[in-house]
Amino acid sequence: MGHRMKRKEDPRFIRGKGNYVDDVKLPGMLHMDIVRSPYAHAKILKIDASEALKIPGVLAVITGEDLKKAGNLHWMPTLMSDTQMVLPIDKVVYQAQEVCAIIATDRYIAADAIEKVVVDYEPLPVVVDPFEALKDNVIVRDDKELKTNHIWHWEAGNREATDQVFKEAATVVEEKMHIPRIHVSSIETCGMVANYNTATQHMQIYMTSQAPHAHRTVFALVSGLPEHKIQIISPDIGGGFGGKVPVYPGYVVCAVASLVTGKPVKWVEDRSENLQADSFARDYHISCRLAADKDGRITGMQVKTLADHGAADAAANPSKFPAGLFSIATGSYDMKAAHIEVDAAYTNKPPGGVAYRCSFRVTEAVHMIERMTDVLAHQLGEDPADFRMKNFIKPEQFPYKSPTGWDYDSGNYHAALQKAMDVIGYRELRKEQAEKRARGELMGIGISSFTEVVGAGPSRDYDILGIKMFDSAEIRIHPTGKAIARFGTKSQGQGHETTYAQILAEELGLPAEDIQVEEGDTDTAPYGLGTYASRSTPTAGAAGAMAARKIRAKAKKIAAYLLEVNEEDLEWNVDRFQVKGAPGQAKTIQDIAFAAYTNHPPGMEAGLEATDYYDPPNLTFPFGSYICVVDIDKGTGEVKVRRFVAVDDCGNIINPMVVEGQIHGGLTMGLAPALYEEIVYDENGQNLSGTFSDYLLPTAMETPRWETDRTITPSPHHPIGAKGVGESPTVGAPPAIANAVVDALWHLGVRHIDIPITPQKVWRVLREKGIND
């Protein structure tokens, strides 16, 4: 552990030997394509598929009425216990919604056939603005008993105490900000191969799932098939980032098609379907106030947020937390009181809410507090770095109870920011900025000192659809000392096969290359809640360590028997148990593994294996400090990221190379919403960014050279002191970039610009300020 080991899974990927859903080809396999709505809100008057059915190779057209007759399968539960149409009967509620499905012998025949389906619509008024939606002039979900677009209200913190803090404040700043919709745009879109065996009544499903066990449970609940008759296999996944956690209607229809035909059926989205209809992220409208005393210390925070959930509350938040972990919004700062309110609204947009490395809405919270901290620092005339240093939670205050109820496990925010300042040469950059500003040049320096909260459970507080959030590992050591380990999570490129093998190698003394790691098959892996929100290492990694320790405890008994000594006379040394004071008398883990099947103590159960379901006592709280330097072209408004230093602290590190890869990818995914990405809808609910021509992904050309470093503050409650890192850079990067841009323009009177900060937005601001012509 702690070593740079090359990823075990990479040889098959770089040779093009990964096995993805679209690689699955079964005898007699049929193909499915989907007819989607061109309207965001419309009655369905008639579906005429007669011409489609005349095309040779077209076998069936599945409609909502068909699903209703098959057992009310036209509705399904979302992961937030809302409901969502699988296929509509009466009306569509967002553009690109699934209307009906074509089943054909060939993928291209199915694609041609969807053009022949004639759907007669009656357009209805559309609401895409959540504030307008709350007026209830247009009801999106008239299937609900209460005819309102208001979904829920949630709050955290102490309203009265916060009001009092604001009454006593010497300075109060406030801002409104919108964090727009974005899309994960993973390389591989969603897809499924459903294979129902009528003889055995067994449903085998290959699907792009970040949470195969939870999805199996959902399929059992929706279809009525016994759960033990459903096997979900999630093969290699080409990126998930939260977008492959929800259950999409296409999955359900594909499974039903296999049930009906008794043949395997494949469905794979195309890129535009993926961009237009799959789960999104963000779409939070935030109003925030921050208070400080006369000494410039932050004393309180008030937040009101409206969350646009689209046509269903289909996020994947724990059920007690409909706004996710947004209440972590007090961030890295010690303040007396905070009060946070969130309301959610239905609109005529696709459902979703937490994809894109979001950590259950932590991204929104961090963006808000880091922007507001910068605003307050500037307002007080203090340097943003010095202001943060003054207001950070101090190392000796951990474990720290936040005003909204979180128990931060550990942290050293001062050390992380100081390291970032030293690496980038912060004080010299401020001098350079002053000189450039005097020459009329626009240079900005932005800081983000974020605190994450990851690793859900604990199960007492966190669940998905009532299923407790723990995770699991099962380890078997073979007689020859080789091992197989199975986990309840599912890698989408994070390198679990390497990271988990290194954890077990450290615990068991086996070479990591002798440990085979498997995930994603519900028939073989122990039940787990999957991989998202940076939870795999904090939960399943911990389960692996705990299962290994169970094995080592049994191994000690076997070693004592073989060496004819008491267990108390033995000590563990890297890969063996040796007699204290006589290291030559020892049995390696390989010796012990062979004995476990050939010469174990009388009365002891044979074998050397263990399973652990790890329920964490608390979440983990990784953190970091990022500093970004930008130059702005006054003529075009283009923002150029000149330097970006990222200092992360994710506790003890298992493989620095894997962590650095996660950070580099995450930083680019933080650059994207800061400067480029946004899903835009017109007033009719039409997605104006449904292709990569309009939805701007940064490439290597736009990505700056990331400079990374780290501090290490182990989690005190995690078995190996790890915290998780996958989402930290995506959480921390956007406010660092936004703060840098506003810092460059602050002297012109600019206080805030919503992301993405495009050249057009900056150019307009400069024009308003009379800087360009």
Side-chain angles (χ1 to χ4, degrees):
M1 208 169 79
H3 299 294
R4 292 176 178 272
M5 177 182 169
K6 287 186 177 179
R7 300 198 335 163
K8 297 176 67 174
E9 47 271 78
D10 282 351
R12 74 173 186 273
F13 291 140
I14 62 178
R15 290 175 173 84
K17 299 298 183 183
N19 182 41
Y20 300 90
V21 165
D22 204 27
D23 294 319
V24 176
K25 295 177 175 60
L26 301 177
M29 188 168 70
L30 305 177
H31 296 265
M32 185 179 91
D33 209 334
I34 294 174
V35 176
R36 295 179 182 272
S37 171
Y39 294 100
H41 199 195
K43 288 183 181 177
I44 296 175
L45 303 179
K46 183 181 179 184
I47 299 175
D48 182 357
S50 57
E51 292 300 314
L53 287 166
K54 292 178 183 176
I55 298 175
V58 174
L59 304 179
V61 176
I62 298 176
T63 66
E65 291 287 359
D66 297 324
L67 296 182
K68 184 178 181 181
K69 292 172 186 172
N72 289 325
L73 298 178
H74 57 308
W75 286 94
M76 65 180 184
T78 71
L79 295 180
M80 279 304 293
S81 298
D82 196 1
T83 55
Q84 181 178 352
M85 299 175 195
V86 177
L87 292 176
I89 291 176
D90 301 319
K91 72 171 189 175
V92 292
V93 288
Y94 58 92
Q95 184 241 333
Q97 183 179 346
E98 300 82 354
V99 175
C100 63
I102 300 284
I103 310 299
T105 54
D106 180 89
R107 181 173 186 170
Y108 299 99
I109 292 175
D112 288 342
I114 64 172
E115 304 295 333
K116 298 295 183 183
V117 176
V118 178
V119 183
D120 193 5
Y121 297 98
E122 179 183 317
L124 296 170
V126 173
V127 59
V128 292
D129 181 333
F131 294 97
E132 287 297 318
L134 291 184
K135 296 176 182 175
D136 290 335
N137 294 324
V138 175
I139 300 298
V140 177
R141 294 291 302 271
D142 47 20
D143 57 291
K144 300 282 187 181
E145 182 178 352
L146 296 176
K147 304 307 176 191
T148 176
N149 293 317
H150 185 252
I151 307 175
W152 44 256
H153 174 85
W154 186 77
E155 53 188 273
N158 187 316
R159 183 192 299 270
E160 292 73 22
T162 306
D163 288 344
Q164 187 61 36
V165 162
F166 272 81
K167 287 179 183 174
E168 297 169 354
T171 306
V172 174
V173 294
E174 55 186 284
E175 285 293 341
K176 292 184 177 180
M177 56 189 78
H178 176 224
I179 304 180
R181 282 196 172 215
I182 52 176
H183 195 280
V184 297
S185 303
S186 51
I187 293 174
E188 181 196 30
T189 60
C190 293
M192 171 189 277
V193 175
N195 182 23
Y196 184 65
N197 187 319
T198 55
T200 61
Q201 297 183 327
H202 182 267
M203 175 67 87
Q204 183 185 54
I205 290 173
Y206 297 86
M207 67 183 288
T208 48
S209 170
Q210 293 178 232
H213 289 278
H215 284 172
R216 183 184 63 177
T217 301
V218 172
F219 275 111
L221 293 172
V222 172
S223 69
L225 287 175
E227 195 164 358
H228 69 288
K229 292 286 188 180
I230 303 173
Q231 177 190 19
I232 291 185
I233 300 171
S234 191
D236 289 324
I237 294 180
F241 312 113
K244 290 165 182 171
V245 176
V247 176
Y248 296 113
Y251 290 145
V252 178
V253 180
C254 186
V256 171
S258 183
L259 273 170
V260 172
T261 62
K263 294 180 179 295
V265 178
K266 176 186 280 188
W267 166 68
V268 177
E269 288 177 324
D270 65 28
R271 177 58 60 191
S272 288
E273 288 178 299
N274 183 258
L275 268 173
Q276 293 177 28
D278 284 3
S279 184
F280 67 94
R282 323 291 194 261
D283 225 342
Y284 259 32
H285 299 258
I286 302 170
S287 296
C288 180
R289 303 175 76 214
L290 204 58
D293 63 16
K294 61 182 177 54
D295 298 320
R297 296 190 181 278
I298 301 172
T299 53
M301 167 184 271
Q302 289 176 328
V303 183
K304 291 187 176 181
T305 293
L306 181 56
D308 183 344
H309 277 255
D313 187 9
N317 290 315
S319 59
K320 284 186 182 178
F321 300 87
L325 310 187
F326 184 68
S327 56
I328 194 71
T330 54
S332 307
Y333 308 102
D334 184 19
M335 60 182 79
K336 293 179 180 177
H339 184 249
I340 296 168
E341 297 176 84
V342 185
D343 290 87
Y346 292 125
T347 60
N348 291 117
K349 300 176 187 171
V354 298
Y356 207 111
R357 284 183 162 183
C358 183
S359 273
F360 299 135
R361 299 290 189 186
V362 176
T363 309
E364 293 89 327
V366 166
H367 193 83
M368 175 183 65
I369 182 62
E370 287 306 307
R371 279 292 303 120
M372 294 302 297
T373 301
D374 241 48
V375 170
L376 183 52
H378 279 99
Q379 186 69 31
L380 293 171
E382 296 193 28
D383 180 276
D386 296 336
F387 183 72
R388 283 176 167 82
M389 288 287 194
K390 183 168 65 178
N391 282 286
F392 280 152
I393 301 163
K394 297 178 178 61
E396 59 270 23
Q397 290 179 271
F398 291 94
Y400 174 81
K401 183 74 131 180
S402 84
T404 51
W406 299 102
D407 292 308
Y408 291 19
D409 64 351
S410 59
N412 190 343
Y413 305 143
H414 299 79
L417 178 55
Q418 188 60 55
K419 192 161 200 174
M421 293 170 67
D422 293 344
V423 170
I424 205 165
Y426 182 78
R427 301 298 180 192
E428 291 75 18
L429 285 169
R430 284 294 180 196
K431 292 177 184 175
E432 179 190 346
Q433 182 189 34
E435 294 167 1
K436 288 195 167 185
R437 187 169 290 175
R439 297 197 297 268
E441 298 176 33
L442 300 177
M443 169 188 167
I445 305 166
I447 299 173
S448 169
S449 289
F450 63 90
T451 291
E452 262 250 83
V453 51
V454 304
S459 67
R460 64 178 180 273
D461 293 321
Y462 300 93
D463 71 284
I464 295 291
L465 268 181
I467 304 168
K468 299 288 188 181
M469 295 193 78
F470 51 83
D471 230 292
S472 58
E474 173 195 275
I475 307 169
R476 298 178 187 175
I477 302 182
H478 306 310
T480 55
K482 315 299 182 186
I484 183 169
R486 294 183 171 118
F487 292 82
T489 48
K490 177 58 198 173
S491 176
Q492 309 118 49
Q494 295 94 333
H496 288 181
E497 292 173 42
T498 307
T499 300
Y500 289 158
Q502 286 186 265
I503 293 173
L504 302 187
E506 179 78 12
E507 295 288 339
L508 291 170
L510 292 171
E513 55 267 27
D514 286 352
I515 302 170
Q516 178 183 350
V517 171
E518 290 186 0
E519 302 174 287
D521 187 336
T522 57
D523 269 12
T524 57
Y527 201 103
L529 271 293
T531 293
Y532 43 89
S534 296
R535 65 183 303 275
S536 293
T537 296
T539 54
M546 299 306 287
R549 291 174 190 181
K550 292 177 184 176
I551 287 176
R552 210 165 74 187
K554 182 175 182 180
K556 189 175 186 180
K557 296 180 185 297
I558 298 174
Y561 173 73
L562 297 175
L563 293 166
E564 298 181 344
V565 296
N566 290 324
E567 286 184 56
E568 293 74 23
D569 296 326
L570 295 176
E571 60 185 3
W572 176 255
N573 183 15
V574 183
D575 64 347
R576 64 195 61 202
F577 279 107
Q578 62 191 28
V579 177
K580 295 175 183 174
Q585 291 182 266
K587 292 294 179 182
T588 67
I589 189 69
Q590 288 83 2
D591 296 333
I592 296 167
F594 193 71
Y597 296 90
T598 61
N599 186 26
H600 50 284
M604 175 183 282
E605 194 176 51
L608 200 57
E609 59 187 68
T611 301
D612 190 83
Y613 285 78
Y614 183 74
D615 187 356
N618 190 8
L619 294 134
T620 58
F621 295 78
F623 60 92
S625 270
Y626 295 172
I627 301 180
C628 174
V629 181
V630 302
D631 296 301
I632 297 176
D633 187 314
K634 291 193 294 185
T636 65
E638 181 184 10
V639 174
K640 180 179 180 181
V641 177
R642 189 204 312 173
R643 289 189 68 189
F644 195 107
V645 169
V647 174
D648 277 278
D649 192 317
C650 58
N652 286 335
I653 292 175
I654 298 153
N655 185 328
M657 188 178 70
V658 170
V659 168
E660 288 164 11
Q662 287 286 298
I663 291 172
H664 277 242
L667 289 172
T668 302
M669 291 189 79
L671 169 75
L675 297 181
Y676 303 103
E677 296 182 1
E678 180 179 11
I679 300 175
V680 179
Y681 294 87
D682 68 11
E683 66 277 13
N684 296 314
Q686 297 293 306
N687 185 331
L688 303 180
S689 33
T691 73
F692 282 162
S693 296
D694 307 297
Y695 188 78
L696 302 180
L697 291 175
T699 68
M701 293 296 293
E702 290 80 26
T703 302
R705 175 179 172 271
W706 306 117
E707 301 172 60
T708 61
D709 212 320
R710 62 177 176 267
T711 58
I712 296 178
T713 310
S715 169
H717 61 78
H718 190 271
I720 57 175
K723 293 183 175 179
V725 74
E727 299 183 333
S728 291
T730 308
V731 165
I737 297 169
N739 285 342
V741 174
V742 175
D743 182 67
L745 305 174
W746 184 272
H747 65 291
L748 303 175
V750 176
R751 298 295 176 262
H752 177 72
I753 303 176
D754 277 334
I755 58 172
I757 303 176
T758 61
Q760 294 90 334
K761 286 184 183 177
V762 177
W763 185 85
R764 282 196 292 270
V765 168
L766 293 174
R767 188 176 180 84
E768 290 169 4
K769 302 298 179 182
I771 302 301
N772 56 20
D773 296 324

